[in-house]
Each structure stands twice: as structure tokens, then as C-alpha cells.
Amino acid sequence: MSQGVTMPPMRPVDLAVRQEAEPQTGETVFDIQGLQASYGSNVAIKGVDLEIYGNVITAVIGPSGCGKSTFIRCLNRMNDEVPSFGHEGTILYHGVDLYGDGVEPVEVRRRIGMVFQKANPFPKTIYDNVAWAPRVLGLKKDLDERVEKALQSAALWDEVKDRLKRSALSLSGGQQQRLCIARAIAIEPEVLLLDEPASALDPIATQRIEELMQNLKQDYTIVIVTHNMQQAARVADRTAFFSIDSDENGRYGVLVEYDQTPKIFTAPSDKRTEDYVTGRFG
Amino acid sequence: MGVRSPFQAELDQLEASLQEEGALVLRVLRGALNALAQRDVELADDVIAFDDDVDRRYLQIEEGIEHLLALQTPVATDLRLVLAMLHTNLHLERMADYGVTVAKLTKLVADVEPDPLLLQSLQDMGERAEEMIRVALDAFANRDLEAAESLVELDELIDRSNRRFVDRVVEIVGEPGMREWALRMVVVSRTLERIGDHAVDIGEQVAYLLTAEFREFTDASHMG
């Protein structure tokens, strides 16, 4: 484990130990209260309250500009890199304030991994892409085994096992995205944040990513931002719908409705959700 | 609006077709009741042939719904509307089949002088069935939950008429020359009563469309 970790111990980080433990499905992983996120004077999201539960897939949907990417980037402090970023409210991760004193962003991202819209493998070998984070974190023991396990979990192993030393850039778009997932899970985070992971992929590669998510939720808590409502309907257990509100200071994203996915797509409670999912808005 | 206007147009078109199918069903039933009252074999044949029109309309709606589900993946209210139309389509088609049953039975006993009281009672039941179809179709068109729920009471009336009919038949079934007519008319009475049940089922679909919750208005297996 990396040096300088001041985050309080919460649950075993090691996947093998986690799997031994009692199943934690349904446990509150994130408890978000009154979250407001801004870039300079522009408020991106406001008044967001929601709980994200363990070992389920939570989808975040909503029109462009509703702040869904901003929202999930708050969950692993990815926005810290943006100089003008500021937030109010709290995000409790297993009861610990993610933005509290002494919490190291590096340790946060160790536990809460992220995969982006565009596959972004390092211009290195397939093996080195997956081995990179474990090496940085000093997890050098049984590295080959760790790399294989991550590639298997990402449903990529069979396709790349004979060419681990070839450049990651030689892979197809869908394979590169699964490689990025393997890279994220090589250090066994607890949460995987996926920001439009399949929006640049063809339908078959998309289906593989969706199947992969179903398998990964056994071991990981998954939050996915998607533009594709049918994708949310297919893969997510719970769905959060964000929309855009405005006041005299401008437009900002709000959480409109958050419920079991079948409820959102058969009988949403809020007219704005209904209008969005039926394609009458956005 | 606007974003999926072709989709909305398809939905509207299907719903209009469903209402037209309902109007055809009413024509089938009216024809069957007239044929029964007047012992008109020719009209009974017309009714039987006319059912093909209903079947064609039924298939056209069924295909339209399949097309919508495959290409538009409707959700929320749209999904409930599509599912309610799918069920209602089937109920309407079944009602027309019952009309055909009445017409066929009419042909079988056309040469028997009917019992005037019983015949009148079948006509009354038929009118109640027609009324129920109209209420069901209007409740659907107007998204009227109260009207949909009112079908239960109308159905109770038609059920009661059916029971009274059977009681009266038991009295006259021993009369010479009446046995076959009376037994066949028991089936007609039962058939009209079933049309009422299908109208209630359409009412339940209207309630599902409006409330997102499917419930049977009455539970036949648990009634006293």
C-alpha cells in the first residue's frame, strides 16, 4: 500500500479478503448530501442528495449539460485537477468525508477507479498498461498473476494472452476500453466509475462491455454515466436522472429522480423524467 | 415534443385503429342481436363474414405494435399505452368472435318460435353488453379511470341477467319443442355475459395505463 495514507481504514482493500467477507450488497457506499459543484462562478450541479449502494450498478442519465460527468468526477475527486473547481455539501464514502482533512486524493482513486469515454491506454505494452498502477503502488508481488487476473476479469485475457508485449495501441477500440477497465481493476478498487464507457464503441463491443459490467458487479460497486437510455435500462439496477434547472445566475444540473431502474422506465414519478425517457425532451 | 413525432404519430394511429376496431365489434354485435331477434339467417351469415374485417384490423394493430416495440422501444407511459393496446386489441377481437357465436347459434334454431320473454331478456343483455363496450372504449379514449371502474357495476347487472335467464330456462326446458332452443340460448346468454367480462378487462387496462399498476377489478376465483 502507498505511503502517507491517512484515510481511515474502512473495509479490506484486497479483493480476495473482500470476497471472503460477508456479501455487502445494498450497503450504502456513497452518501451524498447537499452536493453543489462549481467551476469558478458557474454552478454545475446543485442540491444533490443521494445514496449509492454496494455491488449494484447505478446509472446516471440526463441531457447534455446536466452535470452528470461533474457528478461522478466528484466521487473520486477527479475534479481536484480543475483549478477553478469548488464544492459544497458532503460526500461520505463508507461514512468518511471524501473531501475531509487528511484524505489523500491518491488513496481515494486507489479505492475508486475510473474509466473514461475515450479509451486512453498508455502507449506501452498491454502488460505494462495493466501492471503500471500496481507497480506505482508497490504491489509488485505476483505481478504476472495480478495482470492475468485483471485481464481475465475484464474479459480480455483470451484475446491478448499471446501478445502481452505488443503495444496496447494495436488493440481495437473495444479491446482498448476493456484494457482500461483491466487497468482500473488491477489495483482492486472497490468502486468503478464509468463515464460513457461505450459511447465510442460499436454495438458488439458495447454488448461486451455491458456483459462485463454484470460480471464485475459481483466484486465492485459500479456507477456509469451514459447518454444511452436503453443502456441504462439494460444494465443498471438503479438509475439517477439529472436535469437542468435555472435561476437568475444561470443554468445548473439537479437530481430529479432516483429509483430502481424498472420504475424509472415504466412509471417514473416526475414528469421531467417521463418527458426525458420517452424522448419528448432533451 | 417534436423529437419523436413520427413515433407519436404511430402511437396515435394505432390508438385510432383500436377505436375503429371497437366500432366494428359493435357492428358485429348489433348485427348478431338483430339476426337473433328477427331469426334472420341471411343477416347471421353477414355477421359471420364481417368478422373477417375485425380479424384483419386485429392483425394490423398487432403488427403495428410489434413494429413499435422493435423500433421505438417505448418506455413509461408510452410503454403502458402500447401494452394496454396490445391487450385491448385481443379483447376486442374476442368480443367479435362471441358475436359470431351468437350468429351461428341463431342459424341453428332459426325455425323455432322463440319464447318472447327470454328473447327480450337476451336483447336487454345484448344492449348492456353494447353499453359496456362503449364505456370501455370511451374510458380508454378519454383516459377516464372512473368510467373504467364503473364497468364493474355494469358487469354485475349483466351477470345477474345471465343467472335469471338460466333460472327461467330451467322452468321451460321441459316444454315440447323448446328444449333445443332453450339450451342454445343459454349459450347465447353466457356469451353476452362473457362480452361484459372482456369489457371489464379493457377497463383494467385503462386503469393500468393511468396508474401504472395492474390490478383486477374483481377476482373471480375469490368471489362469494
mmCIF file of all heavy atoms in Angstrom, chain A residues 191-230:
data_model
loop_
_atom_site.group_PDB
_atom_site.id
_atom_site.type_symbol
_atom_site.label_atom_id
_atom_site.label_comp_id
_atom_site.label_asym_id
_atom_site.label_seq_id
_atom_site.Cartn_x
_atom_site.Cartn_y
_atom_site.Cartn_z
ATOM 1 N N VAL A 191 -14.813 0.627 -6.009
ATOM 2 C CA VAL A 191 -15.820 1.257 -6.859
ATOM 3 C C VAL A 191 -15.221 1.498 -8.239
ATOM 4 O O VAL A 191 -14.057 1.879 -8.357
ATOM 5 C CB VAL A 191 -16.274 2.617 -6.263
ATOM 6 C CG1 VAL A 191 -17.328 3.274 -7.151
ATOM 7 C CG2 VAL A 191 -16.806 2.445 -4.850
ATOM 8 N N LEU A 192 -16.034 1.289 -9.264
ATOM 9 C CA LEU A 192 -15.631 1.630 -10.627
ATOM 10 C C LEU A 192 -16.577 2.702 -11.151
ATOM 11 O O LEU A 192 -17.792 2.499 -11.171
ATOM 12 C CB LEU A 192 -15.769 0.414 -11.542
ATOM 13 C CG LEU A 192 -14.564 -0.466 -11.795
ATOM 14 C CD1 LEU A 192 -14.957 -1.538 -12.814
ATOM 15 C CD2 LEU A 192 -13.374 0.333 -12.296
ATOM 16 N N LEU A 193 -16.011 3.823 -11.542
ATOM 17 C CA LEU A 193 -16.812 4.886 -12.150
ATOM 18 C C LEU A 193 -16.583 4.816 -13.654
ATOM 19 O O LEU A 193 -15.437 4.811 -14.106
ATOM 20 C CB LEU A 193 -16.369 6.253 -11.621
ATOM 21 C CG LEU A 193 -16.358 6.434 -10.104
ATOM 22 C CD1 LEU A 193 -15.799 7.815 -9.746
ATOM 23 C CD2 LEU A 193 -17.750 6.254 -9.519
ATOM 24 N N LEU A 194 -17.649 4.722 -14.417
ATOM 25 C CA LEU A 194 -17.528 4.611 -15.867
ATOM 26 C C LEU A 194 -18.233 5.808 -16.501
ATOM 27 O O LEU A 194 -19.442 5.980 -16.347
ATOM 28 C CB LEU A 194 -18.169 3.305 -16.359
ATOM 29 C CG LEU A 194 -17.718 2.007 -15.675
ATOM 30 C CD1 LEU A 194 -18.580 0.832 -16.141
ATOM 31 C CD2 LEU A 194 -16.258 1.718 -15.970
ATOM 32 N N ASP A 195 -17.450 6.630 -17.191
ATOM 33 C CA ASP A 195 -18.023 7.831 -17.798
ATOM 34 C C ASP A 195 -18.219 7.575 -19.290
ATOM 35 O O ASP A 195 -17.268 7.635 -20.061
ATOM 36 C CB ASP A 195 -17.094 9.030 -17.556
ATOM 37 C CG ASP A 195 -17.758 10.354 -17.929
ATOM 38 O OD1 ASP A 195 -18.888 10.321 -18.462
ATOM 39 O OD2 ASP A 195 -17.151 11.406 -17.680
ATOM 40 N N GLU A 196 -19.433 7.262 -19.680
ATOM 41 C CA GLU A 196 -19.756 6.957 -21.086
ATOM 42 C C GLU A 196 -18.789 5.919 -21.657
ATOM 43 O O GLU A 196 -18.165 6.157 -22.698
ATOM 44 C CB GLU A 196 -19.647 8.236 -21.936
ATOM 45 C CG GLU A 196 -20.587 9.336 -21.543
ATOM 46 C CD GLU A 196 -21.917 9.254 -22.291
ATOM 47 O OE1 GLU A 196 -22.111 8.288 -23.034
ATOM 48 O OE2 GLU A 196 -22.744 10.142 -22.080
ATOM 49 N N PRO A 197 -18.653 4.767 -21.043
ATOM 50 C CA PRO A 197 -17.589 3.842 -21.449
ATOM 51 C C PRO A 197 -17.803 3.223 -22.820
ATOM 52 O O PRO A 197 -16.850 2.716 -23.406
ATOM 53 C CB PRO A 197 -17.649 2.760 -20.373
ATOM 54 C CG PRO A 197 -19.067 2.757 -19.923
ATOM 55 C CD PRO A 197 -19.496 4.206 -19.981
ATOM 56 N N ALA A 198 -19.021 3.248 -23.322
ATOM 57 C CA ALA A 198 -19.267 2.552 -24.585
ATOM 58 C C ALA A 198 -19.715 3.493 -25.691
ATOM 59 O O ALA A 198 -20.096 3.045 -26.762
ATOM 60 C CB ALA A 198 -20.315 1.458 -24.375
ATOM 61 N N SER A 199 -19.662 4.806 -25.442
ATOM 62 C CA SER A 199 -20.259 5.703 -26.428
ATOM 63 C C SER A 199 -19.462 5.757 -27.730
ATOM 64 O O SER A 199 -19.991 6.160 -28.755
ATOM 65 C CB SER A 199 -20.427 7.106 -25.850
ATOM 66 O OG SER A 199 -19.179 7.640 -25.532
ATOM 67 N N ALA A 200 -18.179 5.333 -27.673
ATOM 68 C CA ALA A 200 -17.396 5.362 -28.913
ATOM 69 C C ALA A 200 -17.277 3.968 -29.529
ATOM 70 O O ALA A 200 -16.483 3.761 -30.433
ATOM 71 C CB ALA A 200 -16.011 5.939 -28.635
ATOM 72 N N LEU A 201 -18.056 3.016 -29.003
ATOM 73 C CA LEU A 201 -17.887 1.631 -29.454
ATOM 74 C C LEU A 201 -19.045 1.166 -30.330
ATOM 75 O O LEU A 201 -20.156 1.684 -30.229
ATOM 76 C CB LEU A 201 -17.787 0.699 -28.236
ATOM 77 C CG LEU A 201 -16.665 1.023 -27.239
ATOM 78 C CD1 LEU A 201 -16.673 0.003 -26.115
ATOM 79 C CD2 LEU A 201 -15.313 1.053 -27.929
ATOM 80 N N ASP A 202 -18.778 0.153 -31.158
ATOM 81 C CA ASP A 202 -19.842 -0.409 -31.990
ATOM 82 C C ASP A 202 -20.735 -1.295 -31.124
ATOM 83 O O ASP A 202 -20.399 -1.592 -29.981
ATOM 84 C CB ASP A 202 -19.231 -1.196 -33.165
ATOM 85 C CG ASP A 202 -18.455 -2.408 -32.695
ATOM 86 O OD1 ASP A 202 -19.077 -3.320 -32.111
ATOM 87 O OD2 ASP A 202 -17.224 -2.434 -32.880
ATOM 88 N N PRO A 203 -21.894 -1.709 -31.656
ATOM 89 C CA PRO A 203 -22.853 -2.444 -30.812
ATOM 90 C C PRO A 203 -22.297 -3.728 -30.195
ATOM 91 O O PRO A 203 -22.634 -4.059 -29.055
ATOM 92 C CB PRO A 203 -23.999 -2.770 -31.779
ATOM 93 C CG PRO A 203 -23.913 -1.728 -32.835
ATOM 94 C CD PRO A 203 -22.458 -1.404 -32.973
ATOM 95 N N ILE A 204 -21.452 -4.442 -30.904
ATOM 96 C CA ILE A 204 -20.938 -5.704 -30.355
ATOM 97 C C ILE A 204 -19.961 -5.429 -29.215
ATOM 98 O O ILE A 204 -20.025 -6.037 -28.141
ATOM 99 C CB ILE A 204 -20.291 -6.564 -31.470
ATOM 100 C CG1 ILE A 204 -21.402 -7.049 -32.401
ATOM 101 C CG2 ILE A 204 -19.524 -7.749 -30.886
ATOM 102 C CD1 ILE A 204 -20.934 -7.692 -33.671
ATOM 103 N N ALA A 205 -19.063 -4.470 -29.425
ATOM 104 C CA ALA A 205 -18.127 -4.100 -28.354
ATOM 105 C C ALA A 205 -18.895 -3.542 -27.157
ATOM 106 O O ALA A 205 -18.548 -3.794 -25.998
ATOM 107 C CB ALA A 205 -17.119 -3.077 -28.876
ATOM 108 N N THR A 206 -19.982 -2.812 -27.449
ATOM 109 C CA THR A 206 -20.822 -2.263 -26.375
ATOM 110 C C THR A 206 -21.439 -3.385 -25.565
ATOM 111 O O THR A 206 -21.443 -3.362 -24.327
ATOM 112 C CB THR A 206 -21.947 -1.388 -26.977
ATOM 113 O OG1 THR A 206 -21.338 -0.302 -27.663
ATOM 114 C CG2 THR A 206 -22.877 -0.861 -25.899
ATOM 115 N N GLN A 207 -21.938 -4.390 -26.276
ATOM 116 C CA GLN A 207 -22.567 -5.522 -25.581
ATOM 117 C C GLN A 207 -21.552 -6.227 -24.680
ATOM 118 O O GLN A 207 -21.879 -6.636 -23.564
ATOM 119 C CB GLN A 207 -23.129 -6.488 -26.620
ATOM 120 C CG GLN A 207 -24.043 -7.533 -26.003
ATOM 121 C CD GLN A 207 -24.477 -8.579 -27.011
ATOM 122 O OE1 GLN A 207 -24.466 -8.344 -28.215
ATOM 123 N NE2 GLN A 207 -24.852 -9.737 -26.501
ATOM 124 N N ARG A 208 -20.311 -6.339 -25.150
ATOM 125 C CA ARG A 208 -19.284 -7.000 -24.323
ATOM 126 C C ARG A 208 -19.011 -6.208 -23.054
ATOM 127 O O ARG A 208 -18.837 -6.761 -21.983
ATOM 128 C CB ARG A 208 -17.994 -7.173 -25.122
ATOM 129 C CG ARG A 208 -18.180 -8.090 -26.309
ATOM 130 C CD ARG A 208 -16.911 -8.803 -26.663
ATOM 131 N NE ARG A 208 -16.456 -9.640 -25.554
ATOM 132 C CZ ARG A 208 -15.453 -10.489 -25.622
ATOM 133 N NH1 ARG A 208 -14.800 -10.630 -26.751
ATOM 134 N NH2 ARG A 208 -15.085 -11.195 -24.588
ATOM 135 N N ILE A 209 -18.967 -4.885 -23.195
ATOM 136 C CA ILE A 209 -18.750 -4.035 -22.013
ATOM 137 C C ILE A 209 -19.923 -4.189 -21.039
ATOM 138 O O ILE A 209 -19.742 -4.267 -19.826
ATOM 139 C CB ILE A 209 -18.595 -2.545 -22.425
ATOM 140 C CG1 ILE A 209 -17.372 -2.349 -23.314
ATOM 141 C CG2 ILE A 209 -18.556 -1.626 -21.205
ATOM 142 C CD1 ILE A 209 -16.053 -2.257 -22.606
ATOM 143 N N GLU A 210 -21.137 -4.254 -21.603
ATOM 144 C CA GLU A 210 -22.319 -4.375 -20.730
ATOM 145 C C GLU A 210 -22.318 -5.719 -19.999
ATOM 146 O O GLU A 210 -22.645 -5.788 -18.809
ATOM 147 C CB GLU A 210 -23.604 -4.198 -21.551
ATOM 148 C CG GLU A 210 -23.774 -2.757 -22.032
ATOM 149 C CD GLU A 210 -25.010 -2.552 -22.886
ATOM 150 O OE1 GLU A 210 -25.785 -3.511 -23.066
ATOM 151 O OE2 GLU A 210 -25.197 -1.427 -23.393
ATOM 152 N N GLU A 211 -21.935 -6.787 -20.710
ATOM 153 C CA GLU A 211 -21.858 -8.105 -20.053
ATOM 154 C C GLU A 211 -20.797 -8.077 -18.964
ATOM 155 O O GLU A 211 -20.970 -8.622 -17.876
ATOM 156 C CB GLU A 211 -21.506 -9.193 -21.082
ATOM 157 C CG GLU A 211 -22.666 -9.571 -21.974
ATOM 158 C CD GLU A 211 -22.221 -10.393 -23.187
ATOM 159 O OE1 GLU A 211 -21.017 -10.747 -23.274
ATOM 160 O OE2 GLU A 211 -23.060 -10.638 -24.042
ATOM 161 N N LEU A 212 -19.691 -7.430 -19.315
ATOM 162 C CA LEU A 212 -18.585 -7.326 -18.363
ATOM 163 C C LEU A 212 -19.052 -6.624 -17.079
ATOM 164 O O LEU A 212 -18.728 -7.059 -15.963
ATOM 165 C CB LEU A 212 -17.456 -6.540 -19.037
ATOM 166 C CG LEU A 212 -16.227 -6.208 -18.210
ATOM 167 C CD1 LEU A 212 -15.600 -7.496 -17.679
ATOM 168 C CD2 LEU A 212 -15.216 -5.462 -19.077
ATOM 169 N N MET A 213 -19.836 -5.570 -17.251
ATOM 170 C CA MET A 213 -20.318 -4.848 -16.065
ATOM 171 C C MET A 213 -21.145 -5.762 -15.168
ATOM 172 O O MET A 213 -21.033 -5.716 -13.940
ATOM 173 C CB MET A 213 -21.166 -3.644 -16.492
ATOM 174 C CG MET A 213 -20.329 -2.518 -17.064
ATOM 175 S SD MET A 213 -21.348 -1.269 -17.846
ATOM 176 C CE MET A 213 -22.250 -0.699 -16.459
ATOM 177 N N GLN A 214 -21.978 -6.587 -15.797
ATOM 178 C CA GLN A 214 -22.806 -7.508 -14.999
ATOM 179 C C GLN A 214 -21.932 -8.448 -14.172
ATOM 180 O O GLN A 214 -22.244 -8.777 -13.031
ATOM 181 C CB GLN A 214 -23.739 -8.331 -15.902
ATOM 182 C CG GLN A 214 -24.827 -7.516 -16.577
ATOM 183 C CD GLN A 214 -25.743 -6.799 -15.580
ATOM 184 O OE1 GLN A 214 -25.950 -7.255 -14.462
ATOM 185 N NE2 GLN A 214 -26.265 -5.657 -15.982
ATOM 186 N N ASN A 215 -20.830 -8.904 -14.790
ATOM 187 C CA ASN A 215 -19.940 -9.805 -14.039
ATOM 188 C C ASN A 215 -19.180 -9.051 -12.951
ATOM 189 O O ASN A 215 -18.979 -9.561 -11.856
ATOM 190 C CB ASN A 215 -18.945 -10.477 -14.996
ATOM 191 C CG ASN A 215 -19.650 -11.432 -15.937
ATOM 192 O OD1 ASN A 215 -20.685 -11.998 -15.575
ATOM 193 N ND2 ASN A 215 -19.120 -11.585 -17.141
ATOM 194 N N LEU A 216 -18.769 -7.830 -13.283
ATOM 195 C CA LEU A 216 -17.936 -7.073 -12.335
ATOM 196 C C LEU A 216 -18.711 -6.644 -11.087
ATOM 197 O O LEU A 216 -18.111 -6.414 -10.037
ATOM 198 C CB LEU A 216 -17.352 -5.833 -13.031
ATOM 199 C CG LEU A 216 -16.259 -6.109 -14.065
ATOM 200 C CD1 LEU A 216 -15.889 -4.818 -14.787
ATOM 201 C CD2 LEU A 216 -15.020 -6.728 -13.435
ATOM 202 N N LYS A 217 -20.023 -6.563 -11.189
ATOM 203 C CA LYS A 217 -20.738 -6.042 -10.025
ATOM 204 C C LYS A 217 -20.733 -7.018 -8.850
ATOM 205 O O LYS A 217 -21.073 -6.639 -7.734
ATOM 206 C CB LYS A 217 -22.146 -5.575 -10.388
ATOM 207 C CG LYS A 217 -23.175 -6.653 -10.560
ATOM 208 C CD LYS A 217 -24.557 -5.994 -10.677
ATOM 209 C CE LYS A 217 -25.614 -7.066 -10.816
ATOM 210 N NZ LYS A 217 -26.959 -6.540 -10.855
ATOM 211 N N GLN A 218 -20.341 -8.269 -9.118
ATOM 212 C CA GLN A 218 -20.158 -9.203 -8.007
ATOM 213 C C GLN A 218 -19.117 -8.644 -7.027
ATOM 214 O O GLN A 218 -19.227 -8.801 -5.826
ATOM 215 C CB GLN A 218 -19.625 -10.564 -8.491
ATOM 216 C CG GLN A 218 -20.350 -11.163 -9.677
ATOM 217 C CD GLN A 218 -21.761 -11.588 -9.320
ATOM 218 O OE1 GLN A 218 -22.025 -11.984 -8.192
ATOM 219 N NE2 GLN A 218 -22.676 -11.473 -10.265
ATOM 220 N N ASP A 219 -18.088 -8.026 -7.608
ATOM 221 C CA ASP A 219 -16.954 -7.594 -6.795
ATOM 222 C C ASP A 219 -16.846 -6.084 -6.644
ATOM 223 O O ASP A 219 -16.098 -5.612 -5.789
ATOM 224 C CB ASP A 219 -15.646 -8.105 -7.438
ATOM 225 C CG ASP A 219 -15.598 -9.624 -7.469
ATOM 226 O OD1 ASP A 219 -15.998 -10.242 -6.467
ATOM 227 O OD2 ASP A 219 -15.188 -10.186 -8.501
ATOM 228 N N TYR A 220 -17.534 -5.355 -7.504
ATOM 229 C CA TYR A 220 -17.354 -3.905 -7.488
ATOM 230 C C TYR A 220 -18.698 -3.192 -7.432
ATOM 231 O O TYR A 220 -19.707 -3.720 -7.879
ATOM 232 C CB TYR A 220 -16.621 -3.441 -8.760
ATOM 233 C CG TYR A 220 -15.274 -4.091 -8.943
ATOM 234 C CD1 TYR A 220 -15.147 -5.265 -9.678
ATOM 235 C CD2 TYR A 220 -14.124 -3.568 -8.349
ATOM 236 C CE1 TYR A 220 -13.926 -5.895 -9.830
ATOM 237 C CE2 TYR A 220 -12.899 -4.189 -8.494
ATOM 238 C CZ TYR A 220 -12.807 -5.355 -9.225
ATOM 239 O OH TYR A 220 -11.594 -5.968 -9.360
ATOM 240 N N THR A 221 -18.646 -2.009 -6.905
ATOM 241 C CA THR A 221 -19.796 -1.109 -6.981
ATOM 242 C C THR A 221 -19.575 -0.259 -8.222
ATOM 243 O O THR A 221 -18.495 0.317 -8.387
ATOM 244 C CB THR A 221 -19.840 -0.219 -5.724
ATOM 245 O OG1 THR A 221 -20.039 -1.083 -4.602
ATOM 246 C CG2 THR A 221 -20.950 0.813 -5.809
ATOM 247 N N ILE A 222 -20.562 -0.217 -9.096
ATOM 248 C CA ILE A 222 -20.358 0.447 -10.390
ATOM 249 C C ILE A 222 -21.315 1.628 -10.551
ATOM 250 O O ILE A 222 -22.509 1.512 -10.293
ATOM 251 C CB ILE A 222 -20.562 -0.564 -11.551
ATOM 252 C CG1 ILE A 222 -19.509 -1.679 -11.439
ATOM 253 C CG2 ILE A 222 -20.493 0.135 -12.902
ATOM 254 C CD1 ILE A 222 -19.673 -2.782 -12.471
ATOM 255 N N VAL A 223 -20.732 2.746 -10.962
ATOM 256 C CA VAL A 223 -21.550 3.913 -11.307
ATOM 257 C C VAL A 223 -21.228 4.258 -12.750
ATOM 258 O O VAL A 223 -20.063 4.436 -13.101
ATOM 259 C CB VAL A 223 -21.243 5.133 -10.404
ATOM 260 C CG1 VAL A 223 -22.192 6.295 -10.740
ATOM 261 C CG2 VAL A 223 -21.367 4.765 -8.933
ATOM 262 N N ILE A 224 -22.239 4.293 -13.584
ATOM 263 C CA ILE A 224 -21.998 4.555 -15.004
ATOM 264 C C ILE A 224 -22.795 5.778 -15.463
ATOM 265 O O ILE A 224 -23.988 5.891 -15.194
ATOM 266 C CB ILE A 224 -22.352 3.325 -15.881
ATOM 267 C CG1 ILE A 224 -22.241 3.672 -17.366
ATOM 268 C CG2 ILE A 224 -23.719 2.749 -15.546
ATOM 269 C CD1 ILE A 224 -22.495 2.521 -18.309
ATOM 270 N N VAL A 225 -22.091 6.680 -16.116
ATOM 271 C CA VAL A 225 -22.766 7.795 -16.780
ATOM 272 C C VAL A 225 -23.013 7.372 -18.211
ATOM 273 O O VAL A 225 -22.103 6.864 -18.870
ATOM 274 C CB VAL A 225 -21.875 9.063 -16.771
ATOM 275 C CG1 VAL A 225 -22.406 10.088 -17.768
ATOM 276 C CG2 VAL A 225 -21.827 9.668 -15.387
ATOM 277 N N THR A 226 -24.219 7.505 -18.672
ATOM 278 C CA THR A 226 -24.473 7.133 -20.058
ATOM 279 C C THR A 226 -25.483 8.062 -20.716
ATOM 280 O O THR A 226 -26.436 8.522 -20.087
ATOM 281 C CB THR A 226 -24.930 5.665 -20.190
ATOM 282 O OG1 THR A 226 -25.233 5.392 -21.552
ATOM 283 C CG2 THR A 226 -26.142 5.354 -19.332
ATOM 284 N N HIS A 227 -25.247 8.316 -21.995
ATOM 285 C CA HIS A 227 -26.197 9.075 -22.805
ATOM 286 C C HIS A 227 -27.275 8.158 -23.341
ATOM 287 O O HIS A 227 -28.314 8.601 -23.795
ATOM 288 C CB HIS A 227 -25.467 9.665 -24.031
ATOM 289 C CG HIS A 227 -25.221 11.120 -23.898
ATOM 290 N ND1 HIS A 227 -23.968 11.620 -23.685
ATOM 291 C CD2 HIS A 227 -26.057 12.173 -23.923
ATOM 292 C CE1 HIS A 227 -24.054 12.942 -23.601
ATOM 293 N NE2 HIS A 227 -25.308 13.288 -23.729
ATOM 294 N N ASN A 228 -26.941 6.871 -23.332
ATOM 295 C CA ASN A 228 -27.792 5.881 -23.979
ATOM 296 C C ASN A 228 -28.787 5.342 -22.959
ATOM 297 O O ASN A 228 -28.431 4.542 -22.102
ATOM 298 C CB ASN A 228 -26.886 4.782 -24.536
ATOM 299 C CG ASN A 228 -27.669 3.701 -25.240
ATOM 300 O OD1 ASN A 228 -28.858 3.511 -24.997
ATOM 301 N ND2 ASN A 228 -26.994 2.983 -26.104
ATOM 302 N N MET A 229 -30.025 5.797 -23.072
ATOM 303 C CA MET A 229 -31.017 5.409 -22.062
ATOM 304 C C MET A 229 -31.282 3.921 -22.065
ATOM 305 O O MET A 229 -31.501 3.318 -21.031
ATOM 306 C CB MET A 229 -32.312 6.157 -22.299
ATOM 307 C CG MET A 229 -32.249 7.535 -21.710
ATOM 308 S SD MET A 229 -33.804 8.317 -21.902
ATOM 309 C CE MET A 229 -33.877 8.519 -23.661
ATOM 310 N N GLN A 230 -31.257 3.329 -23.260
ATOM 311 C CA GLN A 230 -31.507 1.887 -23.310
ATOM 312 C C GLN A 230 -30.369 1.127 -22.626
ATOM 313 O O GLN A 230 -30.576 0.072 -22.049
ATOM 314 C CB GLN A 230 -31.684 1.406 -24.756
ATOM 315 C CG GLN A 230 -33.030 1.810 -25.345
ATOM 316 C CD GLN A 230 -34.190 1.429 -24.439
ATOM 317 O OE1 GLN A 230 -34.275 0.311 -23.939
ATOM 318 N NE2 GLN A 230 -35.079 2.369 -24.181
#
